[in-house]
Every structure is written in structure tokens, then in C-alpha cells.
């Protein structure tokens, strides 16, 4: 976990930020943690997610009744992830920064019990909005599910190499049990105004 400067987060409240980190996950003996599964929803505690803890006053005018709000699943493991091979996994997500906090801290949590985390290259930076390219990694040019996630339940995300138009990559979702379960991506629309035409 790490505390963030709440004066800084207040100043950029409501703006989009991007979290990146690299992790290795092992069992007690240093072997790959085979029980990690990023295709399960976060509340099943099967794969790391980013949580931001936000201390706020219920009554800001009197600074009384301090409580902690937990903003979960703000970043997750990018797929594909091979839990039978000791390798670095990327944890990534974008979200709007909260404001009005007396204390803010981040933590990576929710993997199965007794899984060891090795963390490197963590960063939290402003996300640039481009009205000409609101969807990121649309052609799977990063060769993984970066910027993409799932909506609606336990879904498997898989990059299909050469399966897209003109031999490009494609992103497959499977294990769908309901009509609205699918690939999803949060969009930064800070650079778009009401009434703008978007192609």
C-alpha cells in the first residue's frame, strides 16, 4: 500500500488517471501461483486488483464523522496471463480521481490467500484524452487486453493472433451466460463536448 498526497488528488479530482504496475505472483515456495485467475470477477478474490481507500468526513463543514470509502477494481491483470509460468503480469486500469479526501491510499489486493506479490514499476499518471482515438488498443496492437476488461460476470478474455481483419489480432470473450456479458472499455471523454460529432 502507499499513501497519496491528498492535496494533489484534490487538485486533479474528476480527471482521468492511468495506473500501471508489474507483478509476479508465487506460492510459498516461489513457484507460479496456479490459483490466480484474472478471468474471475474481483469479488471472488482470485486475482489482484487496485483499490483506492478514500477517507472523508460525513460532515465536511464540521470535519466530523470520518469514514473510509473503498473504490475497488480500478485496475486488474491484463490478459493473457499464464498462471503455470513464472512471469511478470501487468496490472492496469483507468479511472477518475476522487476529491475532497483527508487521506488517500492505494493497495493491490484480492488475490487468493498465501499468494506472494512481487511488485515493480508502479505508476499513476494523467491519461491523455484524444478525440480522434477515444478507444485505445482497438486493433490489439499491444498483443494483449490492455485497456480492455469484461462486463457482466466471469468471462474469459483471449487474444486471437491473426484472426482479425487483414490478419490482425482480435479479442475473444467466452463463457458468456447472458446477452450483455462482453468485452468492455472505460472511455476518457474529457476532450469531448456535448453536441460534438465523433466518427
Amino acid at each position: 500500500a502507499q499513501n497519496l498526497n491528498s492535496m494533489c488528488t484534490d487538485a486533479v479530482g474528476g480527471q482521468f488517471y492511468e495506473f500501471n504496475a508489474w507483478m509476479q505472483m508465487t506460492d510459498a515456495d516461489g513457484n507460479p501461483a496456479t490459483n490466480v485467475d484474472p478471468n474471475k470477477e474481483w469479488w471472488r478474490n482470485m486475482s489482484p486488483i487496485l483499490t483506492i481507500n478514500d477517507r472523508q468526513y460525513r460532515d465536511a463543514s464540521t470535519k466530523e464523522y470520518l469514514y473510509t470509502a473503498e473504490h475497488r477494481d480500478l485496475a486488474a491483470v491484463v490478459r493473457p496471463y499464464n498462471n503455470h509460468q513464472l512471469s511478470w503480469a501487468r496490472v492496469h486500469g483507468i479511472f477518475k480521481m476522487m476529491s475532497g479526501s483527508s487521506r488517500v491510499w492505494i493497495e493491490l489486493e484480492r488475490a487468493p490467500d498465501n499468494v506472494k506479490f512481487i511488485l515493480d514499476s508502479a505508476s499513476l499518471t494523467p491519461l491523455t484524452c484524444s478525440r480522434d482515438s477515444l478507444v485505445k488498443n482497438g486493433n490489439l496492437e499491444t498483443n494483449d487486453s490492455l485497456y480492455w476488461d469484461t462486463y457482466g460476470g466471469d468471462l474469459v478474455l483471449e487474444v486471437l493472433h491473426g484472426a482479425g481483419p487483414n490478419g490482425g489480432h482480435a479479442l475473444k470473450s467466452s463463457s458468456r451466460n447472458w446477452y450483455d456479458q462482453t468485452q468492455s472499455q472505460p472511455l476518457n471523454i474529457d476532450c469531448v463536448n456535448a453536441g460534438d460529432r465523433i466518427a
Side-chain angles (χ1 to χ4, degrees), residues 7-132:
M7 291 186 293
C8 294
T9 58
D10 264 355
V12 297
Q15 298 179 28
F16 275 91
Y17 269 69
E18 180 173 13
F19 178 83
N20 268 293
W22 291 89
M23 297 183 68
Q24 277 189 348
M25 289 159 278
T26 70
D27 62 17
D29 298 319
N31 301 309
T34 57
N35 54 348
V36 171
D37 186 356
N39 291 311
K40 300 296 185 183
E41 288 196 280
W42 69 266
W43 50 268
R44 297 188 186 277
N45 303 330
M46 296 297 293
S47 181
I49 61 168
L50 174 70
T51 295
I52 293 187
N53 298 280
D54 174 23
R55 298 294 298 273
Q56 300 216 15
Y57 293 102
R58 296 191 186 278
D59 188 342
S61 63
T62 61
K63 295 193 181 302
E64 292 182 321
Y65 312 113
L66 193 64
Y67 72 99
T68 301
E70 294 179 312
H71 309 273
R72 292 195 174 107
D73 198 24
L74 299 179
V77 172
V78 175
R79 277 85 98 198
Y81 172 70
N82 185 351
N83 63 4
H84 288 82
Q85 179 180 341
L86 190 59
S87 58
W88 289 93
R90 188 175 190 173
V91 180
H92 177 269
I94 69 172
F95 57 90
K96 279 192 173 184
M97 186 64 70
M98 58 287 306
S99 61
S101 307
S102 64
R103 182 187 173 199
V104 180
W105 70 99
I106 62 174
E107 59 180 331
L108 291 163
E109 60 163 353
R110 294 284 166 173
D113 293 342
N114 301 315
V115 170
K116 292 185 176 181
F117 288 173
I118 303 173
L119 176 68
D120 194 17
S121 302
S123 65
L124 183 59
T125 56
L127 178 66
T128 303
C129 179
S130 171
R131 56 176 293 121
D132 297 323

